[in-house]
């Protein structure tokens, strides 16, 4: 029988249930390495999509994720990290998860077939032409993901499809088709493993590129970090110190003047006579780009 790659079995794993535990785990690691390596082929399309999405977000658009099961959970994890890491507000990176919030505690398998719910969720978010919807499905056929992508496309949004099988409805319908050609799973059909790892890797790449293009990264530092706990306040001081090549005491003083805003503190350091208001104005003039603000 012909199965999609994500459902296929491999002779390599025949008898795995009788293998020593260490050998089983080594096989899983090897498969995960292959899964991540498969993402390399998607770099060109991810690069193009990331640049386009960042430009749309600069104009007020949102990055909307959609998925079911493990794919939806990968999307949820990625989206949840963006407000704290890059200061992108949560309402600009919403997630349409099959089964709703309840699926975060227990995944209802039937929810992935609910096309109507996906369409209604897209309509409920008032998805529009500046928005981007990225739909994820290991198989490339999950009804919820495909319906969400089609509904968003019908409303003028840019669409990105991420799947681990080629020539599938999700990839064929997407404006940007991201094929992650992962190897068959160690446990056939358990796409939380190879497929899930590759999907999370691709999302890491895409959202990080978007954060960089939006000006939220400077010399590899998270300069739009939301420092709202002890650990992150300490990190904010170190970021300013490193970015400005100054000691932490001076960095702390700058952050205090900037009311905790890392970008403002860095720009403020570059203009001895400037005020926090001046630094904010420079950043606003250059869409939050530190290099441009310092150069003017």
């Amino acid at each position: 029988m012909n199965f999609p790659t994500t459902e296929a079995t491999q002779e390599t794993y025949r008898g795995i249930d009788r293998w020593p535990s260490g050998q089983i785990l080594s096989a899983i690691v090897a498969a995960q390495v292959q899964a991540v390596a498969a993402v390399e082929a998607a770099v060109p399309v991810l690069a193009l999509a990331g640049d386009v999405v960042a430009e749309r977000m600069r104009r007020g658009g949102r990055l909307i994720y959609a998925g079911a099961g493990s794919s939806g959970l990968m999307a949820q994890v990625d989206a949840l990290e963006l407000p704290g890491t890059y200061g992108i507000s949560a309402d600009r990176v919403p997630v349409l998860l099959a089964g709703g919030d309840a699926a975060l505690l227990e995944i209802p398998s039937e929810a992935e077939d609910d096309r109507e719910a996906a369409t209604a969720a897209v309509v409920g978010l008032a998805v529009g032409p500046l928005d981007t919807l990225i739909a994820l499905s290991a198989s490339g056929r999950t009804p919820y993901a495909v319906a969400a992508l089609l509904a968003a496309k019908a409303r003028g949004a840019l669409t990105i499809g991420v799947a681990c099988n080629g020539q599938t409805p999700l990839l064929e319908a997407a404006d940007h088709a991201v094929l992650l050609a992962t190897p068959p799973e160690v446990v056939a059909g358990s796409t939380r493993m190879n497929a899930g790892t590759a999907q999370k890797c691709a999302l890491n790449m895409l959202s990080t590129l978007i954060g960089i293009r939006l000006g939220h990264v400077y010399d590899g530092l998270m300069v739009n970090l939301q420092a709202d706990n002890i650990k992150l306040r300490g990190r904010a001081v170190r970021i300013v110190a490193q970015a400005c090549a100054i000691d932490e005491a001076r960095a702390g003083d700058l952050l205090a003047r900037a009311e905790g805003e890392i970008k403002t503190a860095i720009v403020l350091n570059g203009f001895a006579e400037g005020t926090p208001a001046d630094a904010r104005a420079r950043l606003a003039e250059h869409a939050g780009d530190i290099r441009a603000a310092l150069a003017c």
Side-chain angles (χ1 to χ4, degrees), residues 205-275:
M205 293 160 65
L206 183 65
S207 58
T208 300
L209 176 59
I210 291 168
I212 290 171
R213 292 291 179 248
L214 289 175
H216 301 327
V217 176
Y218 177 76
D219 283 342
L221 301 169
M222 296 184 290
V223 291
N224 215 33
L225 169 75
Q226 302 303 293
D228 50 11
N229 64 31
I230 293 172
K231 177 188 74 175
L232 295 179
R233 283 190 287 273
R235 182 180 297 170
V237 170
R238 293 190 294 275
I239 287 171
V240 174
Q242 185 173 337
C244 299
I246 57 178
D247 62 38
E248 291 188 8
R250 168 66 176 159
D253 290 341
L254 286 168
L255 273 169
R257 289 180 62 197
E259 298 180 324
E261 297 169 1
I262 296 173
K263 287 187 179 184
T264 302
I266 293 171
V267 174
L268 192 58
N269 181 69
F271 298 94
E273 304 301 321
T275 67

Side-chain angles (χ1 to χ4, degrees), residues 50-64:
D51 286 344
V52 174
V53 173
E55 176 56 33
R56 296 165 76 88
M57 292 187 76
R58 269 193 292 270
R59 292 186 282 140
R62 297 169 294 177
L63 175 60
I64 301 162

Side-chain angles (χ1 to χ4, degrees), residues 89-292:
S89 60
D91 62 354
R92 300 195 64 203
V93 286
V95 179
L96 305 181
L97 181 62
D101 291 345
L104 295 173
L105 299 176
E106 182 176 356
I107 300 174
S109 58
E110 70 280 2
E112 72 173 51
D113 296 331
D114 198 338
R115 295 177 179 272
E116 291 75 16
T119 301
V122 168
V123 173
L125 272 183
V127 174
L130 280 180
D131 294 325
T132 301
L133 184 135
I134 176 168
L136 300 101
S137 162
S139 69
R141 300 179 180 279
T142 306
Y144 185 95
V146 174
L149 185 139
L150 290 173
K153 191 170 186 176
R155 296 175 67 89
L158 182 75
T159 58
I160 302 171
V162 179
C164 298
N165 292 303
Q167 298 180 317
T168 47
L170 188 70
L171 296 184
E172 290 171 354
D175 296 310
H176 296 281
V178 181
L179 172 61
L180 308 175
T182 54
E185 303 288 352
V186 174
V187 178
S190 181
T191 53
R192 71 186 183 90
M193 301 200 330
N194 294 348
T197 294
Q199 287 176 330
K200 185 60 174 72
C201 182
L203 289 175
N204 285 345
M205 293 160 65
L206 183 65
S207 58
T208 300
L209 176 59
I210 291 168
I212 290 171
R213 292 291 179 248
L214 289 175
H216 301 327
V217 176
Y218 177 76
D219 283 342
L221 301 169
M222 296 184 290
V223 291
N224 215 33
L225 169 75
Q226 302 303 293
D228 50 11
N229 64 31
I230 293 172
K231 177 188 74 175
L232 295 179
R233 283 190 287 273
R235 182 180 297 170
V237 170
R238 293 190 294 275
I239 287 171
V240 174
Q242 185 173 337
C244 299
I246 57 178
D247 62 38
E248 291 188 8
R250 168 66 176 159
D253 290 341
L254 286 168
L255 273 169
R257 289 180 62 197
E259 298 180 324
E261 297 169 1
I262 296 173
K263 287 187 179 184
T264 302
I266 293 171
V267 174
L268 192 58
N269 181 69
F271 298 94
E273 304 301 321
T275 67
D278 294 331
R280 292 187 185 101
R282 286 175 181 271
L283 285 163
E285 183 181 352
H286 297 283
D289 188 302
I290 290 174
R291 292 190 193 281

